[in-house]
Amino acid sequence: MHNPGGYGNNGFTLEQLLGYRLILISTGTFGVGEMKSRDFEMLEDWLDDETISPHPQRGIILDGDQVAAIAEDYYPTWFHTDLGASVKAYDYRTYNHDSTDCVGLENAATAVFDIGDSVSLYGNWCPTRYSYSVLDVIPETPGAVGNLNFYNYTDNPYADSIYVSHAQVVRETDNWKSIVNGFSLHHLSEVGCGGAYCDPGTECVAAGVVRVLQPALEWLALGGDPFDPWYVEIGSDAVDEDGHLSGPVNYLYAARPNPFHRLATVRFQLASAGRASLRIFDVSGRLVRTLVNETLDAGEHTMVWDSSNDHGLPVGSGIFWLQLETHDGYCSSKRILTLR
């Protein structure tokens, strides 16, 4: 697909993503290096976007044997702070010293939806080895829980534990729900299908996917059918050849790069001429820097923040908030992370 902004390798722009309520990202068996930080920045913007009012609930599924490691490597602030997940170990097999070819999946004590007790993952050991991620929940993240655990169904005496937390982490907020898998859906198998604990045949994999994905989609229903369109009118001319919004809209883009060391570029667009302010606040809500506070023309504007405060002193590492306010009542905030 055409990606005029050039901000990632997914072929989409944010304006196109805003036509969807549910997004499933599957990296399969790929590892770190297969996505870019800009891909995750766009997903963060999509979850938090306020241009559609009232804010419709959204759902996202990150799926893949190493998708958690990819997200944590390229965009840890979003993965940790928003999705409430982290990577405890890159490989369940090594972490639990479990050399059985199959590993089961079980509902965690904190599970918010039920997959039953007959789902497994094949390829934990020979003849094909896949590396399933062991996940953890970031403490004190509201609405974030472990939903599935790994299960050593053979009670392998060499394994450290029968149950290992977690194979899946989910989070629910007022505006969206998220699911992070430590495995790829196409490695699932229904227990007993084909007369085996985990049969990699197509029929058994399809049955395993249904057992895990169906209750997940029901939980992600967001008050209705997650596939119901919003009927948001996003015309074919919503994005020009340079990847910019066209037409009379107010919009604050995500800063780039993010995280950043010294300089970050901030773009915003005004629907009409008038007074606008672009300010930076710390996590406690204190004003750090005023980048703009004047009357501006309609259209797109670009500012650069040199990571200093209003007194010209450099700020420390941490999370800050960009806030754009316009004369016609528009207000939007985006998170930005500085590194020293």
Side-chain angles (χ1 to χ4, degrees), residues 88-289:
K88 184 184 294 183
Y90 293 126
D91 182 14
Y92 161 83
R93 177 180 59 252
T94 304
Y95 179 79
N96 197 37
H97 300 100
D98 182 4
S99 58
T100 53
D101 59 343
C102 299
V103 56
L105 291 179
E106 291 279 323
N107 295 306
T110 52
V112 296
F113 57 84
D114 186 354
I115 67 165
D117 57 359
S118 56
V119 184
S120 64
L121 293 163
Y122 68 88
N124 183 58
W125 191 249
C126 294
T128 305
R129 301 186 190 184
Y130 301 114
S131 296
Y132 300 124
S133 298
V134 181
L135 309 180
D136 208 351
V137 179
I138 298 295
E140 300 181 2
T141 303
V145 298
N147 198 68
L148 297 178
N149 293 335
F150 293 103
Y151 170 45
N152 173 25
Y153 75 99
T154 64
D155 195 13
N156 180 356
Y158 299 103
D160 295 336
S161 303
I162 296 178
Y163 297 99
V164 173
S165 305
H166 296 286
Q168 184 183 73
V169 170
V170 305
R171 188 184 181 200
E172 179 176 4
T173 74
D174 290 339
N175 292 327
W176 48 262
K177 296 179 181 179
S178 62
I179 297 175
V180 180
N181 290 335
F183 55 87
S184 180
L185 288 168
H186 77 289
H187 292 153
L188 292 168
S189 180
E190 184 177 48
V191 173
C193 178
Y197 189 83
C198 55
D199 186 325
T202 301
E203 181 180 345
C204 299
V205 170
V209 171
V210 169
R211 283 195 173 271
V212 173
L213 193 55
Q214 181 172 329
L217 293 176
E218 291 173 352
W219 178 70
L220 287 168
L222 311 173
D225 186 341
F227 297 102
D228 280 346
W230 292 340
Y231 298 107
V232 178
E233 186 173 346
I234 301 179
S236 60
D237 59 347
V239 184
D240 65 23
E241 287 302 312
D242 294 322
H244 303 155
L245 288 167
S246 59
V249 296
N250 292 307
Y251 194 77
L252 174 64
Y253 296 87
R256 303 189 187 279
N258 189 15
F260 78 105
H261 289 280
R262 194 174 67 87
L263 299 175
T265 300
V266 183
R267 293 189 299 144
F268 61 94
Q269 184 156 312
L270 300 180
S272 59
R275 195 165 192 86
S277 67
L278 179 64
R279 296 183 172 92
I280 299 171
F281 297 86
D282 63 18
V283 292
S284 65
R286 292 175 298 188
L287 178 64
V288 172
R289 178 76 178 271

Side-chain angles (χ1 to χ4, degrees), residues 305-316:
W305 184 33
D306 61 1
S307 64
S308 67
N309 61 23
D310 277 331
H311 302 290
L313 300 175
V315 300

Side-chain angles (χ1 to χ4, degrees), residues 5-23:
Y7 292 139
N9 61 7
N10 55 64
F12 279 92
T13 62
L14 175 61
E15 290 73 30
Q16 292 168 325
L17 288 183
L18 288 175
Y20 296 85
R21 295 187 62 201
L22 175 64
I23 292 177

